Amino acid sequence: MKHAFAALVVLSLATTPALAQEEGEGNRLSEGWGLLSEGSRLLLEGLADEMRPLVDEHLIPMIAALGELIDDVALYELPERLPNGDIIIRRRVTEPEADGEGAPSDPVDL
């Protein structure tokens, strides 16, 4: 978490506009911004390298398992929170398939 906070600080400093400087200091300022940019790039690459094993070992298998459970996200309603704090995700009610799958077996008299 400390690394993520440090990355945010560096990125926010790197994106702030430079103040007007005298011509002699302008070259030093641009050199400093270049060094800051390079340092932030190295910091973010280091964070990505540290997180890669966690993502490979835990996050990717978890997403794959979730993908097996949920066929299509469009088949579900938006999550809703109950008064007791539980979160439920209801499956959308769909019409029976026209190809006979899910259709009633008894004919309907009209």
Side-chain angles (χ1 to χ4, degrees):
M1 190 52 123
K2 290 180 183 178
H3 296 292
F5 180 75
L8 279 172
V9 169
V10 169
L11 286 175
S12 66
L13 289 175
T15 57
T16 56
L19 299 174
Q21 300 288 325
E22 295 178 15
E23 285 187 29
E25 294 179 11
N27 190 23
R28 286 182 44 201
L29 182 63
S30 65
E31 181 182 341
W33 281 112
L35 290 173
L36 186 60
S37 174
E38 179 68 14
S40 62
R41 184 185 64 79
L42 290 172
L43 178 67
L44 291 175
E45 284 179 359
L47 284 172
D49 290 341
E50 282 185 29
M51 294 299 293
R52 194 173 325 277
L54 176 69
V55 169
D56 291 342
E57 293 174 17
H58 299 287
L59 191 60
I60 291 177
M62 184 176 64
I63 291 173
L66 184 62
E68 291 176 12
L69 291 174
I70 300 176
D71 301 332
D72 184 9
V73 177
L75 296 176
Y76 297 90
E77 299 287 340
L78 290 175
E80 78 181 73
R81 185 183 304 254
L82 299 179
N84 65 356
D86 289 349
I87 298 173
I88 59 171
I89 304 173
R90 298 181 194 277
R91 197 168 183 60
R92 291 181 190 255
V93 178
T94 58
E95 295 295 322
E97 298 286 329
D99 63 358
E101 189 176 315
S105 57
D106 298 332
V108 177
D109 293 330
L110 298 177

